Amino acid sequence: MTIRSTSNITVRFLRLLLLFVFITGNSLATARAETITLIGEDDWYPYSGLKDGRIRGFAADIIEAAYAAAGIQVKFTSAPYSRCLMLAQTGQALGCFDSLQDAKLASLFIFHKEPIFKAVIGIYARENDKLPAITRLDLRGHQVGVTHGYTYGSDIENDAGIIRETAPSDLSNLRKLLRGRSDYSLVYTRVADHLRVTHPQEFQGKIKQVGVALEDKLFVSFSKSWPGAARYAQLLDSGLVTIRANGTYAKIEQRWQTPPP
């Protein structure tokens, strides 16, 4: 009886010891995990938007998963896109998303190689305007609605023939179109689709896509003034490669085919 009791005590002790080591090991690993903060645009849903007091969106989920695959925890804060870029450019933040890697921004920021996603900038007109399908070249000489702080690719940015009507947001951009303040509006197609769903009385049956201004890749723009920013760009690349290979990216993409409200 004494030997058996001693044996049972020993087994229990070993189990408790293993549990302690497991918990302690996980706690230490969590404590050692690096944590970074990135700024997401507050009004670009379903890619990135401030919802219920936090940044939500397809881009945020992809970035979070990619960094997790690289052993990095990421937190998000929010800001309007123009301020988001300013904070990163001046070294007050590590990075801002989502950005085109066009000529205007390429010299100002560090960019990773693997894109977060690809997206289409649509050319929108009023539904009752009898217009043919157009290209970006047809925008010359017209009032074209754009959103403050956004870039639209080097060809459009450098085209002096386009008369820009600047709005503070994509929502305001499309409202100006309906009011006749602009002839066309440039808005990413998934953002326009979301605005039609969330503002049906304003936009359903009243706007239409008549062309494509640009289809391009979107990135995090990392600050050149932030210590270690190049390393975090490389780690994001590594994580993006991993989640594309293991199916995580595809699962997130599928989940965002129908964005939650």
Side-chain angles (χ1 to χ4, degrees):
M1 291 294 293
T2 304
I3 295 174
R4 187 176 300 170
S5 298
T6 303
S7 177
N8 288 339
I9 292 171
T10 302
V11 170
R12 288 173 187 162
F13 174 77
L14 288 174
R15 286 176 179 170
L16 289 171
L17 180 61
L18 287 172
L19 181 61
F20 174 79
V21 170
F22 177 78
I23 294 173
T24 303
N26 282 347
S27 299
L28 290 173
T30 301
R32 287 195 299 268
E34 283 188 80
T35 300
I36 62 172
T37 301
L38 295 174
I39 306 178
E41 185 182 352
D42 62 355
D43 193 20
W44 205 50
Y45 200 74
Y47 295 112
S48 170
L50 187 60
K51 298 277 187 179
D52 303 320
R54 64 187 180 91
I55 283 291
R56 294 172 57 199
F58 174 63
D61 282 0
I62 291 293
I63 293 168
E64 184 175 35
Y67 270 123
I72 301 289
Q73 294 179 340
V74 59
K75 295 181 179 179
F76 299 115
T77 59
S78 65
Y81 184 65
S82 57
R83 177 169 174 78
C84 179
L85 283 181
M86 181 276 291
L87 291 171
Q89 185 180 349
T90 56
Q92 298 177 68
L94 169 59
C96 166
F97 64 93
D98 307 286
S99 300
L100 291 172
Q101 191 179 358
D102 55 21
K104 184 174 182 179
L105 299 181
S107 62
L108 300 176
F109 298 97
I110 297 169
F111 283 92
H112 48 108
K113 296 177 182 178
E114 291 287 327
I116 306 168
F117 58 89
K118 288 182 69 174
V120 173
I121 300 175
I123 303 172
Y124 289 87
R126 291 174 289 273
E127 182 68 38
N128 57 6
D129 289 347
K130 299 185 182 301
L131 298 169
I134 66 170
T135 70
R136 63 173 179 79
L137 297 176
D138 299 309
L139 297 175
R140 291 173 179 168
H142 290 279
Q143 292 281 149
V144 178
V146 296
T147 300
H148 176 63
Y150 288 12
T151 57
Y152 295 88
S154 299
D155 289 336
I156 289 178
E157 293 301 317
N158 296 329
D159 195 334
I162 296 174
I163 306 166
R164 289 161 176 77
E165 175 66 31
T166 303
S169 66
D170 286 325
L171 177 59
S172 178
N173 188 350
L174 290 175
R175 283 172 172 168
K176 283 189 174 188
L177 173 67
L178 290 181
R179 292 168 185 160
R181 295 277 300 276
S182 57
D183 302 315
Y184 301 102
S185 284
L186 302 184
V187 181
Y188 280 85
T189 55
R190 290 201 66 188
V191 176
D193 290 344
H194 179 69
L195 290 174
R196 279 191 276 211
V197 170
T198 54
H199 297 76
Q201 292 185 335
E202 286 191 78
F203 301 124
Q204 286 287 9
K206 296 179 182 179
I207 61 171
K208 61 184 176 182
Q209 184 183 349
V210 294
V212 170
L214 180 72
E215 181 176 4
D216 210 345
K217 302 168 184 176
L218 280 294
F219 301 84
V220 175
S221 45
F222 287 93
S223 175
K224 288 188 171 183
S225 303
W226 190 277
R231 172 175 170 266
Y232 292 119
Q234 292 170 358
L235 286 169
L236 180 56
D237 272 332
S238 173
L240 285 166
V241 169
T242 298
I243 66 171
R244 283 193 170 100
N246 66 19
T248 300
Y249 189 101
K251 290 178 182 177
I252 296 172
E253 192 171 35
Q254 180 62 36
R255 189 166 72 241
W256 281 95
Q257 287 301 310
T258 304

